Amino acid sequence: MAEEAASSVVGAALDVNTAGKQTDIAMAYLQDEKTDGEIANHNLGELDLTTDEFILDEVDIHIQANLEDDLVKEALKTGVDLRQYSKQVESELQRIEQASIKDYIKESQNIALLHNQITACDSILERMEGMLSGFQSDLSSISSEIQTLQQQSVSMNVRLKNRQAVRSHLSQLVDELVVPGTMISTILDSPVTEQEFLEQLHELNNKINFAKELSFRETLACSDIQDIVDRLKLKAVSKIREFILQKIYSFRKPMTNYQIPQNTLLKYRFFYQFLLANERSVAKEIRDEYVDTMSKIYYSYFKSYSSRLLKVQYEEVADKDDLMGVEDTAKKGFFSKPSLKSRNTIFTLGQRGAILSPAELEGPILVPHTAQRGDSRYPYEMLFRSQHYALLDNGCREFLFLSDFFMVAGNSALDLFNSIMGKTLSMFLKSMSTYVSDCYDSIAVFLCIHIILRFRAITAKRTIPALDKYWEAVLELLWPRFELILEMNIHSIRNTDPQKLGVLDTRPHYITRRYAEFSSAIVSINQTFPNERTNTLLGQLQVEVENFVLKMAAEFPSRRDQLIFLINNYDMMLSVLMERAADDSKEVEGFQQLLLARTQEFIEEILSAPFGGMIAFVKEAEGLVEKGQLDRLKNEEARITQLVRGFSGTWKQSVEAMSQDVMRSFTNFKNGTSIIQGALTQLIQYYHGFHKILNQPTFRSLAVRSELINLHHLMVEVKKHKPNF
């Protein structure tokens, strides 16, 4: 029906459209006819000369306007009479009107049919409008239903999310509240060392914490599980307490390596964390028991180890009479052959400094009973190193264990460490104070100081602050004692009486050798960790030794012997110092200057005996040349002749005798050779100066100039007398 109605409507619309178009054509035709008539009447009306409103002034304007009209132009061109033309137009209009009426009459049936079709179309369109209005109302109701459904969907989505959120919380709550049977059986029956027990203990700890949180919120469900959780907690605490105490008691067994049970405890560090969170009294009991046990173990171990170490120390040690300035004729001579096979030296470093090398410093500790079986003996610094390296190793390990197992840090960790190691450290300081108060071996004390400085650097590198205060306490004991011993040696040299030191000898004195060995030892050790106070004391000691050497030299009657003594001692001290100390050290530079000055003076001394006359003449003449007064010597021909012939005749024998005398006088052949070379070089310079003076105009006429030895020949001959060693 809808399709038929639509077809009828479309057909009617087409008929109406066709009829309408025909009507429009007819009306347009009539309108055109009417318009032409009106235009003609209007134009003619404007040309009406009989009108009362005619104004002469406007006649020209109307004429011009009408002349522009096309019809008027056409009429004027053809010469038509306008009245006649007007009548013709009017008759034409009447004829067209009659024709139009006939056409309307002829088409009246079609127009009536068209009217009926338009009426039918209106009724069809009215029905369609009703149908579309119904559709619109239906769509409006559907849209409102869709909005309602959308709102319901949003509401349902919100409710779903809320239910899911509530479900997750409730699920978590239920999971945390429920105590599974696996947990109960594991906590009650499984050994604490099993992994399953540790896992269930973690779960139990979480449930305990959750129950505490719920109790603060006053959740009713908490009361349902509180009883069983408390009973499981008590059981777990009991089993953990028994396990840890058993491990701590195992430390007390003789010959036990306590590091093994410590490592076991570290594997179960959560046990103590569980106790600390849930049963502090038991945690405190375990901590106190551990502190008491380990304190006794460390004290007993280190006390026994220290006492055994002292049994392998050198039997002969320095006493208050073993000072640098003590005469060698005393009961116990420092540099005499030792009575024991391996006697500790006092002023000589020897191989003792090797203990500061990384390999020795962090090497294995001494085993006393093994050393006793081998009849080995060691200096105190080796015992000190072994004792304190054991302390460093055990102290660092213990501090790390305490920080890890007992979960302490900062001052709490230091306090706990001191409660364990404090008794042992006090014992160390007390025994060290006793030893230091009667120690006169300054090298041993200084080595101990540098051992502590290096151990302190090691603990700092490991970021272990536990022993820092102990290191400072040890240094506060050792530094004053070292300074005191050094000051005692300084006073002993200052108060030495040269006349009580036995027979005079130009060879190096044993006191200067002691100083050289000692100073080189201290300087070489002090280079790694320089100390200004040590440098100051060494400077004072050097001044006293220089004064002592000068006092000893003054005991010799001749200046030559004094210089030999000074050169031998300076050379010996410089050689020993340069073996260990840096070339630019203050001590080395000081003795180099002293040796150079005394050597130059000795060269002048040994040249003065065989060649003194020539040397005096050269110096006198050079002074007069500078003043321009050389003519004052022109009457010295006899003196010059004697000098020239005396040198030419005796210089070889004199040089040979001088070389032999020098080599006999100096213990260091290298130094003796250097002195001979310096003397021969100085001799050639003097003889060269002698040549230059005799070449002056004042002496050119002297016949004895021909007897002068050729300078080049002299140099060649002198080289033959240089000793080779």
Side-chain angles (χ1 to χ4, degrees):
M1 290 294 292
E3 292 179 354
E4 292 178 358
S7 299
S8 301
V9 171
V10 172
L14 292 175
D15 294 339
V16 171
N17 190 21
T18 303
K21 287 182 178 180
Q22 294 175 354
T23 303
D24 290 339
I25 293 171
M27 293 299 292
Y29 176 75
L30 293 175
Q31 187 67 30
D32 290 339
E33 294 294 336
K34 183 179 179 180
T35 302
D36 292 337
E38 289 177 353
I39 293 172
N41 290 332
H42 173 71
N43 291 333
L44 293 175
E46 289 179 347
L47 295 175
D48 189 1
L49 299 178
T50 61
T51 178
D52 295 333
E53 297 177 357
F54 180 75
I55 299 173
L56 292 177
D57 294 335
E58 296 179 356
V59 171
D60 291 337
I61 297 173
H62 287 290
I63 292 173
Q64 288 296 329
N66 291 325
L67 287 176
E68 294 297 326
D69 186 86
D70 292 336
L71 294 176
V72 175
K73 287 182 179 180
E74 183 66 25
L76 291 176
K77 285 181 182 180
T78 56
V80 178
D81 186 4
L82 292 179
R83 292 182 183 89
Q84 185 64 34
Y85 183 73
S86 176
K87 292 178 180 180
Q88 183 181 350
V89 169
E90 184 177 357
S91 63
E92 184 70 22
L93 288 174
Q94 289 177 357
R95 186 183 61 78
I96 291 173
E97 182 180 359
Q98 293 296 326
S100 296
I101 292 170
K102 290 179 180 180
D103 288 337
Y104 276 107
I105 293 171
K106 183 180 179 179
E107 296 294 333
S108 60
Q109 292 181 355
N110 291 334
I111 291 172
L113 180 62
L114 178 62
H115 174 72
N116 293 332
Q117 289 178 350
I118 290 173
T119 303
C121 284
D122 286 341
S123 63
I124 293 171
L125 290 175
E126 184 177 359
R127 288 198 305 271
M128 289 184 66
E129 182 180 5
M131 292 172 62
L132 292 176
S133 298
F135 290 158
Q136 184 177 7
S137 63
D138 292 341
L139 290 175
S140 298
S141 63
I142 291 173
S143 176
S144 63
E145 289 178 1
I146 291 174
Q147 291 179 355
T148 303
L149 290 174
Q150 185 177 8
Q151 292 174 357
Q152 291 176 355
S153 175
V154 172
S155 176
M156 292 175 66
N157 189 33
V158 171
R159 289 199 300 271
L160 177 61
K161 289 183 178 179
N162 292 337
R163 289 181 180 180
Q164 289 177 343
V166 170
R167 179 181 178 183
S168 64
H169 287 296
L170 288 176
S171 176
Q172 182 180 359
L173 177 64
V174 171
D175 290 341
E176 294 292 344
L177 286 175
V178 172
V179 180
T182 305
M183 176 184 293
I184 297 173
S185 60
T186 302
I187 296 297
L188 294 178
D189 302 329
S190 298
V192 296
T193 55
E194 289 188 2
Q195 182 65 27
E196 187 179 359
F197 180 87
L198 185 61
E199 293 174 357
Q200 293 300 327
L201 187 66
H202 278 280
E203 291 295 327
L204 177 60
N205 189 57
N206 292 335
K207 291 187 182 299
I208 292 172
N209 293 333
F210 190 71
K212 290 179 181 178
E213 183 180 348
L214 292 180
S215 65
F216 289 132
R217 301 177 184 175
E218 299 181 355
T219 304
L220 297 177
C222 178
S223 59
D224 296 338
I225 65 165
Q226 190 67 50
D227 181 59
I228 188 170
V229 168
D230 289 342
R231 283 189 290 173
L232 287 176
K233 180 182 73 173
L234 291 176
K235 183 62 177 179
V237 168
S238 175
K239 295 177 71 173
I240 291 171
R241 174 183 177 277
E242 181 181 356
F243 171 75
I244 296 178
L245 288 178
Q246 182 183 359
K247 291 297 178 184
I248 294 174
Y249 293 151
S250 67
F251 295 168
R252 303 176 181 179
K253 296 179 182 179
M255 306 299 293
T256 299
N257 183 358
Y258 59 86
Q259 296 176 12
I260 295 176
Q262 274 186 339
N263 293 334
T264 303
L265 288 176
L266 284 177
K267 288 173 59 178
Y268 302 102
R269 62 175 63 87
F270 180 72
F271 288 173
Y272 184 80
Q273 181 180 347
F274 181 82
L275 295 178
L276 194 64
N278 299 290
E279 200 65 46
R280 287 186 171 270
S281 60
V282 177
K284 184 178 184 303
E285 177 191 2
I286 289 176
R287 176 169 165 170
D288 293 343
E289 192 67 33
Y290 179 84
V291 169
D292 181 65
T293 300
M294 293 308 297
S295 176
K296 292 177 180 178
I297 289 175
Y298 281 125
Y299 180 78
S300 175
Y301 167 73
F302 280 108
K303 183 178 181 181
S304 173
Y305 184 67
S306 300
S307 62
R308 292 180 180 179
L309 279 179
L310 292 177
K311 294 179 181 179
V312 295
Q313 185 182 0
Y314 280 128
E315 294 179 1
E316 286 194 16
V317 294
D319 57 28
K320 62 181 179 179
D321 295 325
D322 294 330
L323 299 174
M324 202 174 293
V326 175
E327 58 270 19
D328 206 16
T329 56
K331 178 178 68 174
K332 183 166 58 176
F334 296 120
F335 296 98
S336 61
K337 187 176 181 180
S339 58
L340 294 178
K341 184 179 180 180
S342 300
R343 181 183 173 190
N344 183 21
T345 56
I346 299 173
F347 300 108
T348 304
L349 183 62
Q351 296 300 318
R352 299 170 71 183
I355 198 172
L356 297 179
S357 65
E360 290 287 337
L361 191 68
E362 300 183 53
I365 63 174
L366 295 176
V367 182
H369 62 271
T370 303
Q372 282 180 307
R373 283 201 302 266
D375 198 24
S376 301
R377 292 292 182 268
Y378 302 95
Y380 178 75
E381 64 271 10
M382 292 192 69
L383 310 181
F384 181 88
R385 196 283 313 177
S386 185
Q387 182 187 47
H388 282 81
Y389 187 68
L391 174 66
L392 181 147
D393 193 38
N394 285 276
C396 290
R397 185 181 295 108
E398 185 64 30
F399 182 80
L400 292 175
F401 173 82
L402 295 176
S403 300
D404 196 0
F405 185 78
F406 291 104
M407 297 179 296
V408 289
N411 291 331
S412 299
L414 294 177
D415 293 340
L416 184 58
F417 178 83
N418 290 329
S419 64
I420 294 175
M421 300 295 295
K423 191 175 179 182
T424 302
L425 299 180
S426 298
M427 182 264 293
F428 270 21
L429 291 174
K430 183 177 180 181
S431 62
M432 198 180 311
S433 177
T434 303
Y435 171 80
V436 167
S437 63
D438 195 37
C439 176
Y440 295 90
D441 187 353
S442 54
I443 290 181
V445 175
F446 199 59
L447 284 172
C448 291
I449 289 173
H450 278 264
I451 288 171
I452 293 298
L453 292 175
R454 284 161 174 77
F455 282 168
R456 185 172 65 179
I458 291 173
T459 54
K461 186 177 180 180
R462 296 180 184 179
T463 63
I464 305 294
L467 293 170
D468 288 352
K469 290 185 178 180
Y470 174 75
W471 300 140
E472 294 299 328
V474 174
L475 292 176
E476 288 176 3
L477 280 175
L478 295 177
W479 273 119
R481 187 63 188 179
F482 172 73
E483 294 173 356
L484 176 62
I485 299 173
L486 207 53
E487 289 173 354
M488 291 173 65
N489 281 286
I490 292 172
H491 289 302
S492 70
I493 294 177
R494 183 183 302 156
N495 299 328
T496 299
D497 186 358
Q499 296 180 355
K500 295 181 180 181
L501 298 179
V503 182
L504 292 176
D505 192 347
T506 58
R507 290 176 295 180
H509 200 274
Y510 57 84
I511 290 181
T512 58
R513 180 169 290 279
R514 292 174 186 172
Y515 162 76
E517 294 285 353
F518 176 78
S519 182
S520 65
I522 300 301
V523 169
S524 63
I525 296 172
N526 198 49
Q527 287 175 350
T528 309
F529 290 90
N531 179 266
E532 193 60 34
R533 175 63 176 162
T534 302
N535 293 332
T536 303
L537 291 172
L538 284 178
Q540 295 177 8
L541 181 62
Q542 181 180 352
V543 171
E544 295 301 330
V545 170
E546 292 174 3
N547 293 336
F548 165 76
V549 172
L550 293 176
K551 287 193 296 183
M552 286 296 300
E555 297 293 317
F556 292 92
S558 66
R559 182 58 181 168
R560 179 180 176 278
D561 289 340
Q562 292 177 358
L563 291 173
I564 292 174
F565 177 80
L566 292 173
I567 292 172
N568 276 329
N569 281 276
Y570 291 153
D571 177 64
M572 181 274 298
M573 290 188 285
L574 185 60
S575 299
V576 174
L577 282 170
M578 291 184 68
E579 289 179 1
R580 297 186 181 276
D583 293 342
D584 58 349
S585 65
K586 184 173 61 176
E587 292 79 10
V588 170
E589 291 180 352
F591 284 115
Q592 282 178 338
Q593 295 175 1
L594 290 172
L595 178 62
L596 182 62
R598 298 291 80 80
T599 300
Q600 193 62 37
E601 184 180 353
F602 179 75
I603 289 174
E604 295 291 336
E605 183 71 22
I606 60 176
L607 290 176
S608 64
F611 309 109
M614 181 190 69
I615 293 172
F617 176 79
V618 170
K619 291 181 178 179
E620 181 183 0
E622 286 177 347
L624 292 174
V625 168
E626 291 179 359
K627 298 178 182 178
Q629 301 175 358
L630 189 60
D631 291 341
R632 294 173 57 181
L633 297 177
K634 63 182 179 179
N635 297 324
E636 298 284 344
E637 182 178 353
R639 179 185 175 188
I640 295 173
T641 302
Q642 181 182 0
L643 292 175
V644 172
R645 291 174 178 174
F647 182 85
S648 300
T650 63
W651 75 270
K652 289 185 178 181
Q653 296 84 350
S654 299
V655 168
E656 184 66 30
M658 181 179 65
S659 298
Q660 294 177 0
D661 182 50
V662 168
M663 297 310 297
R664 285 194 303 268
S665 301
F666 297 100
T667 55
N668 185 350
F669 289 153
K670 184 178 180 180
N671 185 41
T673 302
S674 176
I675 291 175
I676 293 173
Q677 291 177 352
L680 295 177
T681 302
Q682 189 66 33
L683 175 62
I684 292 174
Q685 290 179 353
Y686 280 133
Y687 198 69
H688 179 62
F690 191 55
H691 265 263
K692 289 174 64 177
I693 292 169
L694 294 184
N695 285 332
Q696 296 292 326
T698 305
F699 304 112
R700 284 179 183 173
S701 60
L702 295 178
V704 76
R705 289 180 65 250
S706 61
E707 299 180 21
L708 287 171
I709 300 175
N710 181 272
L711 191 62
H712 180 70
H713 176 71
L714 178 64
M715 293 174 64
V716 173
E717 290 296 325
V718 162
K719 287 183 179 180
K720 296 178 182 180
H721 291 273
K722 289 184 178 181
N724 296 316
F725 295 97

